Amino acid sequence: MTRSVDEASVCELLSQAQQEDIGTAEATPDSGDGYVSCWYSMTLDDDPDPSGYEVTVFDSAKALRETADATDVMPTKALPLRLGGRSAAEQISYGDQWSGAVTVDLGRDRYLYVEKYAKGHSVSESELSHQARGTAKNVLRHLLAR
């Protein structure tokens, strides 16, 4: 399933229609040791208040743990949940930017991470949660169909 996702295909995990639905201005792939990502930006690069989504597929728990963002945030405790019949966790973080993040266990030591980020106080906690979960469900459907 996730082995077929690479930097060339990671931004295809959301269809063009789904990208339009979330307001994507630009989709930018990225990769590193043990992961591939797509950044679905809703704002232009020079915007002082960026917003958008990060979608990352990790090849191992080690790769997932080795990523950290260098922002000064205050995260909530992770909330366990089921998404698409799979174990998952959601976490909301506060700071200059707020984010709602969902991590889904794909099995075989692989993980999907979806984060919705926006300027602090520009979107409610419940909306961040709804947007992150909805996007994670869409990506999960694409991954399982591969």
Side-chain angles (χ1 to χ4, degrees), residues 35-124:
Y35 72 89
V36 292
S37 295
C38 187
W39 294 85
Y40 298 96
S41 300
M42 298 167 64
T43 52
L44 301 175
D45 286 341
D46 58 350
D47 193 310
D49 298 315
S51 65
Y53 293 81
E54 172 191 354
V55 173
T56 303
V57 178
F58 291 95
D59 286 340
S60 68
K62 181 178 186 262
L64 174 64
R65 281 192 302 268
E66 288 180 349
T67 60
D69 87 30
T71 59
D72 184 19
V73 298
M74 295 179 296
T76 61
K77 301 284 190 258
L79 173 69
L81 56 105
R82 302 281 298 168
L83 199 69
R86 296 178 178 270
S87 296
E90 177 185 55
Q91 193 166 28
I92 305 293
S93 295
Y94 304 95
D96 291 337
Q97 279 201 342
W98 286 11
S99 66
V102 177
T103 304
V104 183
D105 185 346
L106 298 173
R108 296 187 174 175
D109 199 31
R110 291 181 184 80
Y111 302 88
L112 167 64
Y113 175 84
V114 175
E115 177 182 325
K116 164 66 168 130
Y117 57 93
K119 179 182 178 184
H121 301 283
S122 67
V123 63
S124 69

